[in-house]
Amino acid sequence: AAAEGGEEGPAESKSNSSTANVIREMREEAIESLRNGGTEKDSGGQQLVVHREVDVSASGTKSGGGAETALALPGQTVTGEKEKPGGNILVKKKSSLKIPTPKWHAPWQLCTVLSSHLGWVRSIAFDPTNDMFATGAADRCIKVFDLAKACVGAEDALKITLTGHISPIRGLAFSERHPYLFSAGEDKMVKCWDLETNQVIRHYHGHLSGVFALKLHPTLDLLITGGRDAVARVWDMRSKQQVHCLTGHDNTVGAILTKTSDPQVITGSYDSTIKLWDLAAGKCMTTLTHHKKSIRALVQPSYENTFLSGARDTLKKWQGKDGRFLQNFTGHNSVINSLALNDDGVLVSGGDDGSIKFWDYGTGYCFQEMDTIAQPGSLDAENGVFCSEFDLTGTRLITGEA
């Protein structure tokens, strides 16, 4: 140790050299003892441990590399720390975090193109029997196709064309309990078509601007429509009366989901929020503000209580009961116009730039992506996917494009 005056006297230098000699002797004795197969206890209680600077400053006592008991400096206590393999080497613990493995899905490919509409195809709906599907377009027509014939590209696939709207048709839905087809358009009109007579039998008046989304309630005779007047309207299917007007959004209601359990109605809006509604009270239960861009598409699986929203920034997966955020599906850098999901867990997102991505719904893994091909007579700049729908078996996907 240095003297207080800052200079080292002869007495101090002599004690330093004698201390060094003692340490050298102790070290030699300890090494000799270990060579002979003994332990530190054999060295008459004299203990020596050499610490690196970082070890001393970090934690003080460390376990020795290869000794049965830890050596401690005088005045230190030895904790019950287990010896690590290799002495003071840090060993990485196994993480309890489990990385989900995506389910394998077969690749998808284009098989048929139906060129029948004269405008952008904005809506698709499948019949509950899976025999036919209807498409609505910007040419103001609803066309009903035979699914089996359409899949092979037969010329007589088109069954009938329904006219009556005076603006693009943005929403279509077949009723499961009645021979009815419901349609909604940008002309503020919501119509009910009787498929036995192919005529309009009901009008639902009330929207102040174009209607952009339409859904039927799965168990009740209710029809929910949303549009540019920033509200979702709940209609009694039979009496044509408006049951509720779900207000709260600041911009166009672009997507609607309906469920049997609360929240029975979920709306996505161009104001970048999602609202979960109490249908009995007609009040908003929860507002989800995670998105930064307009929400144009919502989809939910039939096998679990979750749902997914699509916007320009990302796809987001939510818990269905309370709207708790679960997961981001990142990678589709486009305006998401449509989402479709089958019972096999294949999610399809269609972009405004014509890009289509296929995802595993359970893990959010994108297993396939492709770009649509502009058809003869269509502009490359208008090459977008505007709507998409799986048939009831989940093996056929139909997309509506320009």
Side-chain angles (χ1 to χ4, degrees):
E4 283 183 334
E7 290 191 13
E8 203 176 74
E12 282 83 11
S13 62
K14 190 182 286 185
S15 67
N16 280 349
S17 62
S18 62
T19 304
N21 291 334
V22 170
I23 289 175
R24 198 180 301 115
E25 288 174 11
M26 287 171 61
R27 188 189 297 140
E28 288 171 359
E29 285 178 17
I31 291 170
E32 190 66 31
S33 171
L34 289 171
R35 276 183 186 153
N36 295 334
T39 64
E40 301 82 40
K41 294 176 183 175
D42 300 334
S43 58
Q46 293 174 324
Q47 296 179 347
L48 173 74
V49 65
V50 179
H51 282 275
R52 294 176 299 180
E53 275 187 71
V54 289
D55 292 341
V56 175
S57 61
S59 60
T61 306
K62 293 281 182 183
S63 55
E68 288 179 6
T69 58
L71 299 173
L73 290 172
Q76 287 186 322
T77 56
V78 180
T79 59
E81 184 182 353
K82 290 186 179 177
E83 177 126 46
K84 296 172 186 162
N88 292 330
I89 297 172
L90 292 174
V91 180
K92 186 179 178 183
K93 289 184 179 179
K94 285 188 178 179
S95 173
S96 60
L97 184 67
K98 189 179 178 184
I99 299 172
T101 305
K103 183 181 174 183
W104 183 85
H105 300 287
W108 291 74
Q109 64 180 22
L110 178 67
C111 68
T112 314
V113 177
L114 301 173
S115 297
S116 181
H117 281 288
L118 301 176
W120 294 1
V121 182
R122 303 304 305 244
S123 53
I124 299 171
F126 274 92
D127 176 60
T129 61
N130 212 40
D131 290 335
M132 57 186 180
F133 65 93
T135 58
D139 60 3
R140 310 185 299 277
C141 294
I142 301 169
K143 291 181 184 282
V144 182
F145 294 90
D146 185 292
L147 178 61
K149 291 180 179 178
C151 287
V152 295
E155 290 185 5
D156 57 344
L158 178 63
K159 291 167 76 90
I160 194 168
T161 301
L162 305 173
T163 58
H165 282 279
I166 57 173
S167 282
I169 295 153
R170 299 295 293 265
L172 286 173
F174 281 94
S175 172
E176 292 187 4
R177 295 184 301 282
H178 317 92
Y180 296 156
L181 170 66
F182 294 87
S183 64
E186 292 180 16
D187 50 11
K188 314 180 202 174
M189 287 198 252
V190 180
K191 297 176 183 284
C192 174
W193 303 78
D194 188 335
L195 293 174
E196 292 174 345
T197 61
N198 300 322
Q199 290 179 335
V200 177
I201 56 171
R202 294 189 188 104
H203 286 92
Y204 301 88
H205 294 286
H207 275 285
L208 306 176
S209 192
V211 186
F212 279 33
L214 178 148
K215 274 285 188 294
L216 297 177
H217 193 280
T219 53
L220 305 173
D221 283 343
L222 293 175
L223 172 69
I224 296 95
T225 56
R228 205 183 289 146
D229 51 5
V231 297
R233 298 181 189 270
V234 183
W235 309 90
D236 186 316
M237 194 185 289
R238 291 168 293 187
S239 70
K240 302 180 284 186
Q241 297 297 314
Q242 180 179 296
V243 181
H244 289 302
C245 180
L246 307 177
T247 60
H249 284 295
D250 297 329
N251 208 328
T252 303
V253 176
I256 298 173
L257 287 179
T258 55
K259 301 194 300 178
T260 53
S261 59
D262 281 334
Q264 295 183 53
V265 179
I266 301 169
T267 56
S269 170
Y270 290 9
D271 64 7
S272 74
T273 64
I274 301 166
K275 286 185 183 285
L276 282 57
W277 302 89
D278 181 350
L279 186 60
K283 301 282 180 64
C284 177
M285 295 166 60
T286 314
T287 302
L288 310 175
T289 59
H290 298 55
H291 278 289
K292 297 181 180 67
K293 299 288 183 181
S294 299
I295 295 151
R296 296 165 184 259
L298 293 170
V299 74
Q300 62 184 350
S302 59
Y303 52 85
E304 67 179 38
N305 192 14
T306 58
F307 68 95
L308 189 115
S309 58
R312 176 69 177 82
D313 50 357
T314 182
L315 307 177
K316 291 183 186 290
K317 186 177 177 182
W318 314 84
Q319 183 65 257
K321 183 181 178 185
D322 51 4
R324 184 166 53 87
F325 173 73
L326 296 177
Q327 189 182 358
N328 270 330
F329 289 23
T330 54
H332 200 163
N333 299 317
S334 171
V335 175
I336 307 298
N337 281 330
S338 71
L339 293 169
L341 179 63
N342 67 6
D343 289 346
D344 198 33
V346 176
L347 171 75
V348 177
S349 57
D352 206 46
D353 58 357
S355 59
I356 303 173
K357 285 186 183 277
F358 295 82
W359 311 77
D360 176 52
Y361 186 75
T363 60
Y365 172 73
C366 178
F367 66 89
Q368 189 180 351
E369 50 188 288
M370 62 174 72
D371 290 309
T372 63
I373 303 161
Q375 294 305 303
S378 295
L379 300 174
D380 287 343
E382 295 180 350
N383 193 20
V385 179
F386 301 116
C387 56
S388 57
E389 199 73 44
F390 280 102
D391 76 334
L392 271 61
T393 66
T395 58
R396 295 282 186 275
L397 171 70
I398 298 182
T399 57
E401 302 174 17

